[in-house]
Amino acid sequence: MSSPTSADRPTSRIYKRERLSAYDRWVWGFSFQPWAWGPRADRVVEFYRTHLSRDHLDVGVGTGLLLDRAGMPEGHERLHLLDANQGPLEETAQRLARFSPTITRADALAPWTELEPGTFASVGCMNVVHCLPDPEGRGIEAKTALLDSVARVLRPGGRFFGATLLDRGIAGKWRRPIAPLMMAAYNRLAWFSNRADTAEDLERALAARFDDVHVWTEGSLALWYATARS
Ligand SMILES: C[S@@+](CC[C@H](N)C(=O)[O-])C[C@H]1O[C@@H](n2cnc3c(N)ncnc32)[C@H](O)[C@@H]1O
């Protein structure tokens, strides 16, 4: 069982719309670099573009930079944005107005009752799992309600893809001196709750719900893609 996220937790405070102006520079300009998290923004955009479909649900949207840079595939049908916070929803909907997005404000760990089952061709969830609360230090097990909801809303054969930052078991992080410092600070501030998350647990949790599961790490980032069951 996962713990739902309360509205006043630190991730809600830092994602107020007026604070998002620094997000792209700090996260995508500075942190996604070889000296910090590892892969650069361009590499993550390329991964994102590979798996994005014409009928896409994005969970935890931030400023919408990845969708903006990747672009929707030709003949796009639907873009739906889901986030616990109003600021990222407004910012991203405005930035991506050319794709006429629809939005749902919902916690990633609560049931997505507004969304119909079995309809999306892809669901992306980039840099969200490491933000989800884990008060008892159970790691990925505390966050599996998200995976259950994704499995419910994807159509058979649909693609689930995403990425999350890991603290534990990451080789070479000491050669990226800023990564352990940022990871420790963000966990202390409760912006991240990823101390107990591992790539192995992520793979197990995905394999329990999806087919054709691929999980790997690049720097501090664990990336995955998987296919919804029929
Ligand atoms: C680190 S940002 C990632 C944004 C974007 N996907 C990216 O990669 O740049 C995390 C996003 O997840 C949202 N978020 C955090 N906790 C959430 C939760 N419990 N449920 C839904 N969204 C959440 C935040 O509002 C924010 O938009």
Side-chain angles (χ1 to χ4, degrees):
M1 261 262 293
S2 308
S3 330
T5 312
S6 73
D8 63 350
R9 66 185 308 274
T11 51
S12 298
R13 290 197 293 277
I14 60 173
Y15 291 110
K16 289 203 179 309
R17 192 163 183 195
E18 60 273 18
R19 298 194 181 163
L20 288 176
S21 55
Y23 181 91
D24 286 354
R25 261 174 289 135
W26 180 252
V27 174
W28 292 113
F30 177 78
S31 308
F32 276 92
Q33 291 288 347
W35 57 73
W37 299 145
R40 293 182 200 273
D42 286 354
R43 160 67 190 130
V44 183
V45 171
E46 174 199 294
F47 165 76
Y48 195 89
R49 190 182 288 123
T50 303
H51 297 290
L52 189 62
S53 78
R54 286 189 227 164
D55 188 359
H56 178 72
L57 167 67
D58 215 69
V59 177
V61 296
T63 58
L65 175 139
L66 293 172
L67 273 159
D68 190 25
R69 291 212 190 153
M72 292 285 287
E74 195 71 22
H76 79 274
E77 292 157 19
R78 175 169 58 155
L79 172 61
H80 197 87
L81 312 173
L82 183 145
D83 202 290
N85 299 307
Q86 195 61 26
L89 285 172
E90 286 173 5
E91 181 77 18
T92 302
Q94 188 178 329
R95 185 171 190 169
L96 301 173
R98 65 191 189 278
F99 302 127
S100 309
T102 46
I103 60 175
T104 294
R105 186 169 181 192
D107 189 329
L109 297 180
W112 302 341
T113 46
E114 275 184 42
L115 303 186
E116 269 187 51
T119 69
F120 290 99
S122 61
V123 176
C125 185
M126 302 294 289
N127 297 310
V128 180
V129 171
H130 60 244
C131 301
L132 298 177
D134 181 15
E136 290 155 17
R138 293 188 301 133
I140 295 295
E141 195 49 41
K143 307 173 179 186
T144 51
L146 163 66
L147 308 188
D148 291 332
S149 290
V150 174
R152 189 182 78 86
V153 300
L154 270 175
R155 63 174 83 151
R159 174 56 50 92
F160 178 34
F161 66 96
T164 188
L165 290 163
L166 296 179
D167 185 16
R168 275 175 48 167
I170 289 292
K173 68 179 172 184
W174 305 109
R175 288 194 296 277
R176 295 178 280 111
I178 297 170
L181 295 177
M182 290 203 304
M183 208 67 92
Y186 292 0
N187 270 282
R188 245 191 332 268
L189 291 162
W191 296 352
F192 285 10
S193 300
N194 66 347
R195 284 204 178 104
D197 294 358
T198 66
E200 293 72 23
D201 288 348
L202 176 63
E203 186 161 7
R204 252 191 301 278
L206 286 166
R209 295 163 177 85
F210 300 91
D211 290 336
D212 182 32
V213 170
H214 300 259
V215 179
W216 69 100
T217 58
E218 298 183 21
S220 292
L221 194 66
L223 302 100
W224 73 84
Y225 65 88
T227 303
R229 290 185 176 150
S230 309

